[in-house]
Amino acid sequence: MSGVELLMIGTAVAGTLMETAGAVTKAETDGKIARENAKLVQNQSAEEARLASAEGRRLVAKARVRAGASGLSVDGSALDVIGELQAEGELKARQAIHAGRIEYDNFRAEQKAAKKAKTLAVVSGVAKVGTTVLTAGMSGAFSGAKSTYAASEVGKLRSVGKLEQMARGL
């Protein structure tokens, strides 16, 4: 194989390795971003739930104060209103937690997908490098071989050893 051919093979292999490194880095970065986003969403939904719960308690306290200030007893319909306000505050808190959980799960799925993309990039890179080297090696072996076999004789060769000898020009 000539120096130019080796240079071309080396360049192809280097290009494939750089492409693989870029894909791996992108996958790692995507995974880190997804993991950080998942943490942020989890914290944000917990804070939203805390605020919704606090707002519900504030509304209940406000309703009790209004009822007491007006001279009404806190029973019957006033008590029902207070109960509804409590339930609404609790529902908003649960909705915030549920929405956060869904978003968290989506980011975790993105993180897992990025991890798989990284693995696939490495496997693909190795396969491309192997293919490049094998293709170059095979073309070099055949281009430099001085075949003493006619095309009709190749089909008659049954053993792998004889095929290898023919390929190497031995």
Side-chain angles (χ1 to χ4, degrees), residues 6-142:
L6 288 174
L7 181 63
M8 288 173 56
I9 294 168
T11 303
V13 168
T16 300
L17 291 174
M18 288 173 34
E19 178 185 329
T20 301
V24 167
T25 301
K26 182 187 181 318
E28 286 174 344
T29 302
D30 289 350
K32 287 177 185 177
I33 290 170
R35 183 175 56 248
E36 290 303 314
N37 284 342
K39 288 178 187 176
L40 289 171
V41 163
Q42 196 173 30
N43 292 338
Q44 181 182 359
S45 65
E47 181 63 15
E48 287 175 6
R50 187 190 67 74
L51 291 173
S53 185
E55 177 65 13
R57 288 191 304 274
R58 189 185 65 74
L59 289 174
V60 167
K62 193 175 184 180
R64 284 185 177 154
V65 167
R66 284 187 182 161
S70 67
L72 296 173
S73 65
V74 184
D75 61 350
S77 62
L79 191 59
D80 291 341
V81 168
I82 290 171
E84 286 295 320
L85 289 172
Q86 283 176 330
E88 187 177 331
E90 182 62 29
L91 178 63
K92 285 182 181 179
R94 288 179 187 261
Q95 286 173 333
I97 289 172
H98 181 69
R101 184 62 194 191
I102 289 171
E103 206 170 347
Y104 173 84
D105 289 345
N106 287 338
F107 283 123
R108 292 294 295 192
E110 284 181 23
Q111 183 184 4
K112 288 178 183 178
K115 188 175 183 180
K116 286 181 181 180
K118 175 184 171 184
T119 302
L120 288 173
V122 170
V123 170
S124 174
V126 168
K128 284 180 182 178
V129 167
T131 301
T132 301
V133 171
L134 286 174
T135 302
M138 293 300 288
S139 66
F142 284 114

